[in-house]
Amino acid sequence: MQKTESPEESRRKLDKIVSDLTRSILLKDELTRFWFFILIMFAGVGLWGWILQIKNGLGVTGMGDYISWGLYIANFVFFVAISLVGLLISSVLQLLKISWAKPVSRAAEQIAIAAVALAGIIIVMDMGRPDRLLNIFLHGRYASPIVWDLTVVSTYLAISLLLFYIPLIPDLALLHERMGPELPTWKRKLYKVLALGWKGNDLQFKTVYHALRVLMILIIPVGLSIHTVTSWLFAATLRPGWDSTIFGPYFVVGAFVAGTGALIILMYVYRLRYGLKEYYTDMHFDRMGKLLVLVCLVYLYFNINEFFVPVYKMKLAEGVHLKTLFSGGYAFMFWFAQIVGLVLPILLIQLKFFRRPLPLSLISVVILLSAWFKRYLIVIPTMEHPFLPVQNVPESFHHYKPTSTEMLIMLFSFFAALLIISILAKLFPVITIWEVAEEQGIDKEYLTEKSNTQ
Amino acid sequence: MEKKTRRNFMKTLGASVGAAGVLSSGSLLSACNRVEEVSGDKITLLTSSGELVVVDRSQLKPAELPSLTENQLRGRKGLPGRSWVMVIDLSKCRNARECMKACQSHHQLRPEQHHINVLQMQDSEDTAPYFMPKPCLHCDNPPCTKVCPVNATFKREDGIVLIDNERCIGCRFCIAACPYSARVFNWKEPRDAEKYEGVTYNIEANVPQKKGTISKCLFSADCLRDGKLPSCVSACPNGVYWFGDKNEDAVTNGTTKETVSFTQLVKEGAAYTLMKELGTRPRVYYLPPKGQEASPIEGDHI
């Protein structure tokens, strides 16, 4: 932490921080409008797909009595995985007092909120009778992993929202004080209401620090649970490919890989779009790259355990499943995910060049893509090979091919997630202003005063 | 997010229940009015036994329909003191598929939906292929009922694993959990949906089927309540099925109607259960396919 001497210096620095970090809120160009138009349009088209599905039944999907979970469940697992980055960045790294992770944590929470919200929506879209959703509350049985999942996913969403909101309170008060007519009145009013009468005194800051610390600790067991329980939806069955004891930690580590990748991409976009070079510096990307290598290495270790132990034994049904992955119809996806999406990034990111913002972001795109492949491979191939032969059913029941309706709904989920992130970025600063100010040694007393430049 | 949807859902639910109430009372009223038009205070009615009777209008009361809840409560409990078991003699199966037909017609299933499915099996290259009818095995340690989030599938006292399609939310976790692929889903509108619209749901036969819900073999629990054998058992022309009560230690052959001791049949016939290593403890026993003449299988087997 640097020490800033004079009040003028402090005020000048703070003005610059505020003007840099409010760019995401104030930006009103064609590109923003176009981006929101695209998001809303595609999300809307996807929603229309769901309406079609409700009308005609799940028969509009490519699923059948044997492969009865498809793209929706794969997307569900993918989104739960992505959301875990909130736990990693804004809790684990903060508790370890890793200071470079501070400016990244709000972006991580944006991803966590959007992804976990969409995970909840997708699971409803996968239901044959979404109109009976209430039955889970009326007749819920605590013996079913679905009820555990519902419990932890909603708890995780709640804690993530709080972890997003509480550090935002001082910023909201600051924005309300400092922002003038360039901000629409409704936004200023919103900030005022959400700031909860923040004065910025020591007692209030103490409360914020305390609350954040409690939440950071609380989110660890909850975050680990959401992905562990999600893995149990599969591991609690007897099917080859799912009947695995390491599925819980395997999913959690895989989630860290996917989430870190997603966060790097988002950081790069923010840096470029909102001119945040001084906040998301090359150092941040360098550190994120190292973090990515770490989680990839752990994930590789789990992959070796998950696949090579059963391959060594080749139990009958398990062997059929593994053959389709290794050399059958899913071989491309499988090896892409393992080699291009895991081994190659581990090797490349160790070189300093690939930890620079652009190369690292491109690698992250590949990692995210193969993370999605991985989720698809976890759900679908296992269902294609039940213990007993598939007979006396139409040819379409033997294989799974997503239909256009499923694609539409998938489109909805991705665009809706991006929409949530974009709305959060448009409403609130993407980096916590007061934390940056604190980091630069600006005294807290300047945070609450009106800007002297206006 | 979750909370908001739930609240909206409650609101719509409240509104629709209210609307339904207004509608039904309205139709009840209009029905009464029509009666009044026909004959002043006395009206002529046709009874269910075919007699014409004249009744005072004030005597009219709405008929008592079999209540859905009562039906379901009864269906969830099962037949007291019973413990149903099935023995399938694979040496007798000639792939006549009469069981599949009878089952599909009893449970109003589409042609691709099977509560019972006759599979062509071959355990290894050197062993003979054989036909294996596969109903739900009504496991005593059922993987499917464990995972149901809403208790829509459950194990009854008499050993049957049943489904309540008025409760099912269509998550299909039970399909994923069942290692025997015994469950089917109503992906589309069920067979003859219009024909059976408004018919009171019979949980023990799982009819009428409902779109977006699960279905599976129920040992024809409705037949059992009436003292009859399950549809597949009585439809078999080859004497494959034995069905009965383990508590009575008696099983009856669906074709010959011969009754024998269950323990004796399974012991002497060297009966086995399917994939016993999974620990599901099925209630369906198989007698080995000794001397069965199935033709070799083309593809499709593990």
Side-chain angles (χ1 to χ4, degrees):
Chain A
M1 204 182 287
Q2 308 147 289
K3 194 78 208 148
T4 309
E5 298 87 21
S6 66
E8 291 74 34
E9 171 99 12
S10 292
R11 291 203 177 94
R12 199 182 47 73
K13 268 192 169 176
L14 188 61
D15 282 345
K16 182 173 173 350
I17 295 173
V18 172
S19 96
D20 281 346
L21 296 185
T22 49
R23 223 170 280 142
S24 73
I25 304 171
L26 297 174
L27 210 58
K28 250 193 217 146
D29 54 1
E30 284 303 310
L31 190 61
T32 311
R33 278 192 215 110
F34 178 68
W35 176 242
F36 274 96
F37 168 74
I38 291 283
L39 289 180
I40 292 170
M41 188 183 73
F42 277 103
V45 168
L47 215 52
W48 175 67
W50 191 36
I51 293 168
L52 281 186
Q53 180 181 298
I54 290 177
K55 226 174 87 192
N56 303 323
L58 280 174
V60 299
T61 67
M63 295 184 277
D65 287 341
Y66 292 87
I67 303 143
S68 56
W69 281 348
L71 219 49
Y72 303 147
I73 296 291
N75 279 336
F76 165 74
V77 181
F78 180 72
F79 276 114
V80 175
I82 297 275
S83 78
L84 227 55
V85 72
L87 157 79
L88 181 65
I89 302 291
S90 49
S91 160
V92 176
L93 295 192
Q94 309 292 338
L95 286 174
L96 292 173
K97 307 237 182 288
I98 294 172
S99 62
W100 64 262
K102 264 191 184 172
V104 188
S105 80
R106 187 167 289 163
E109 281 311 318
Q110 288 178 345
I111 294 180
I113 291 167
V116 84
L118 261 297
I121 294 172
I122 291 172
I123 219 69
V124 177
M125 291 179 152
D126 182 67
M127 280 166 60
R129 298 297 300 244
D131 54 317
R132 292 182 182 171
L133 185 61
L134 209 62
N135 276 5
I136 299 179
F137 302 98
L138 295 174
H139 307 288
R141 295 173 66 237
Y142 246 93
S144 168
I146 289 191
V147 177
W148 311 340
D149 217 30
L150 195 81
T151 312
V152 286
V153 165
S154 47
T155 313
Y156 187 74
L157 178 62
I159 300 184
S160 296
L161 281 171
L162 285 174
L163 267 179
F164 182 80
Y165 175 58
I166 290 179
L168 192 66
I169 296 174
D171 277 7
L172 290 168
L174 178 146
L175 288 175
H176 176 71
E177 281 303 318
R178 287 174 150 263
M179 302 296 267
E182 69 269 29
L183 212 61
T185 337
W186 68 266
K187 247 186 200 177
R188 289 197 61 198
K189 274 191 187 144
L190 179 77
Y191 292 161
K192 192 180 155 106
V193 173
L194 289 179
L196 304 175
W198 177 266
K199 296 269 188 315
N201 54 41
D202 287 345
L203 185 68
Q204 285 183 327
F205 269 109
K206 219 176 133 189
T207 315
V208 162
Y209 289 135
H210 185 68
L212 283 178
R213 204 177 155 73
V214 170
L215 287 173
M216 282 174 199
I217 294 168
L218 270 183
I219 204 168
I220 292 177
V222 176
L224 290 180
S225 307
I226 64 164
H227 220 37
T228 307
V229 171
T230 302
S231 82
W232 288 348
L233 296 182
F234 306 101
T237 70
L238 298 159
R239 288 180 185 255
W242 289 352
D243 184 7
S244 158
T245 48
I246 65 161
F247 247 36
Y250 179 48
F251 270 46
V252 170
V253 178
F256 287 156
V257 174
T260 309
L263 181 58
I264 291 171
I265 300 170
L266 189 66
M267 281 166 67
Y268 186 73
V269 172
Y270 282 166
R271 171 177 149 121
L272 212 65
R273 179 90 180 102
Y274 304 133
L276 300 177
K277 267 200 171 77
E278 291 161 50
Y279 302 88
Y280 291 152
T281 60
D282 286 4
M283 181 272 288
H284 286 99
F285 284 88
D286 183 77
R287 298 284 160 85
M288 285 300 284
K290 285 176 180 164
L291 182 68
L292 190 56
V293 173
L294 172 71
V295 288
C296 278
L297 277 170
V298 184
Y299 194 43
L300 182 68
Y301 168 74
F302 272 97
N303 269 305
I304 291 169
N305 274 281
E306 175 63 16
F307 290 107
F308 288 92
V309 176
V311 157
Y312 190 84
K313 290 183 282 192
M314 281 308 253
K315 283 196 279 187
L316 182 68
E318 194 96 28
V320 175
H321 170 66
L322 290 168
K323 263 185 204 152
T324 51
L325 290 184
F326 280 52
S327 55
Y330 293 104
F332 172 75
M333 262 180 149
F334 180 80
W335 292 114
F336 184 90
Q338 298 295 345
I339 308 279
V340 186
L342 201 55
V343 177
L344 225 54
I346 291 174
L347 296 176
L348 288 181
I349 302 174
Q350 289 184 48
L351 306 172
K352 202 167 171 55
F353 172 79
F354 287 100
R355 291 200 299 274
R356 290 159 50 80
L358 183 62
L360 188 67
S361 305
L362 291 177
I363 292 176
S364 295
V365 171
V366 176
I367 284 181
L368 205 59
L369 179 72
S370 53
W372 188 86
F373 279 180
K374 197 78 195 35
R375 303 305 177 284
Y376 189 89
L377 291 175
I378 285 171
V379 178
I380 286 110
T382 287
M383 301 211 86
E384 274 186 14
H385 301 286
F387 286 109
L388 294 173
V390 180
Q391 288 173 3
N392 309 322
V393 289
E395 181 54 31
S396 62
F397 278 30
H398 290 250
H399 307 285
Y400 174 70
K401 214 173 140 242
T403 61
S404 52
T405 314
E406 280 171 285
M407 297 290 191
L408 278 183
I409 292 179
M410 179 173 151
L411 218 59
F412 160 80
S413 52
F414 281 91
F415 280 91
L418 287 176
L419 187 62
I420 293 178
I421 294 175
S422 303
I423 289 175
L424 289 176
K426 190 88 188 86
L427 279 181
F428 309 114
V430 294
I431 297 173
T432 315
I433 296 173
W434 65 272
E435 275 180 353
V436 174
E438 194 181 36
E439 208 60 27
Q440 296 197 4
I442 297 167
D443 200 280
K444 286 200 186 76
E445 65 180 283
Y446 302 112
L447 290 174
T448 37
E449 63 181 24
K450 273 202 193 306
S451 168
N452 50 2
T453 54
Q454 282 159 29
Chain B
M1 188 67 58
E2 202 71 57
K3 202 169 177 186
K4 211 171 167 194
T5 28
R6 202 190 328 165
R7 189 176 303 146
N8 284 344
F9 184 78
M10 289 282 257
K11 253 191 225 161
T12 19
L13 184 81
S16 43
V17 166
V22 170
L23 267 176
S24 57
S25 53
S27 57
L28 215 75
L29 264 175
S30 64
C32 289
N33 289 340
R34 215 170 296 132
V35 170
E36 215 169 3
E37 277 167 32
V38 177
S39 63
D41 281 330
K42 302 265 183 197
I43 57 163
T44 315
L45 294 172
L46 185 66
T47 65
S48 54
S49 50
E51 287 169 285
L52 273 176
V53 288
V54 180
V55 213
D56 196 271
R57 197 171 55 82
S58 57
Q59 296 283 305
L60 282 180
K61 274 182 204 140
E64 266 183 50
L65 293 164
S67 136
L68 183 65
T69 30
E70 216 168 281
N71 184 343
Q72 273 161 321
L73 278 179
R74 188 177 81 163
R76 277 179 180 265
K77 236 183 130 183
L79 298 164
R82 301 295 197 159
S83 176
W84 304 111
V85 283
M86 184 185 263
V87 183
I88 299 177
D89 188 349
L90 294 179
S91 67
K92 299 246 168 61
C93 184
R94 299 285 174 273
N95 196 24
R97 306 211 164 188
E98 291 300 327
C99 52
M100 289 168 74
K101 276 180 220 152
C103 172
Q104 289 193 325
S105 104
H106 181 185
H107 300 293
Q108 301 168 10
L109 298 172
R110 283 171 171 273
E112 72 273 16
Q113 295 179 307
H114 307 292
H115 281 187
I116 187 163
N117 197 355
V118 181
L119 302 174
Q120 280 185 287
M121 301 289 287
Q122 188 167 14
D123 292 343
S124 89
E125 277 174 26
D126 303 325
T127 57
Y130 59 94
F131 293 109
M132 184 182 84
K134 184 217 60 187
C136 166
L137 305 186
H138 296 274
C139 308
D140 279 345
N141 180 18
C144 53
T145 63
K146 279 186 205 168
V147 299
C148 179
V150 293
N151 211 6
T153 185
F154 47 87
K155 182 93 180 158
R156 310 203 305 186
E157 273 174 31
D158 55 3
I160 297 181
V161 175
L162 217 67
I163 287 180
D164 182 348
N165 82 11
E166 292 279 330
R167 172 81 62 90
C168 176
I169 59 168
C171 68
R172 311 186 299 292
F173 200 174
C174 53
I175 297 191
C178 176
Y180 304 106
S181 312
R183 289 171 169 259
V184 296
F185 188 73
N186 284 300
W187 299 97
K188 299 172 192 153
E189 210 57 76
R191 197 188 90 188
D192 303 329
E194 320 85 60
K195 194 166 127 194
Y196 297 111
E197 209 188 314
V199 175
T200 307
Y201 173 56
N202 180 358
I203 191 172
E204 290 188 325
N206 199 33
V207 287
Q209 300 279 345
K210 274 182 202 68
K211 185 173 84 175
T213 64
I214 294 283
S215 189
K216 71 165 197 69
C217 159
L218 326 137
F219 273 171
S220 298
D222 56 333
C223 296
L224 298 178
R225 190 174 286 280
D226 295 342
K228 291 188 216 141
L229 288 169
S231 301
C232 51
V233 173
S234 35
C236 177
N238 295 323
V240 174
Y241 298 99
W242 299 84
F243 192 88
D245 184 352
K246 203 171 157 185
N247 290 343
E248 285 178 345
D249 191 27
V251 282
T252 305
N253 190 290
T255 317
T256 62
K257 307 290 181 239
E258 185 191 350
T259 301
V260 298
S261 155
F262 164 71
T263 36
Q264 219 173 336
L265 183 68
V266 292
K267 267 184 196 152
E268 286 173 9
Y272 64 94
T273 55
L274 222 49
M275 290 184 259
K276 71 170 185 352
E277 66 276 13
L278 298 179
T280 50
R281 291 192 279 126
R283 274 180 175 259
V284 174
Y285 296 78
Y286 285 95
L287 300 178
K290 196 180 166 195
Q292 205 206 70
E293 300 149 17
S295 49
I297 301 165
E298 298 134 29
D300 238 349
H301 58 91
I302 293 190

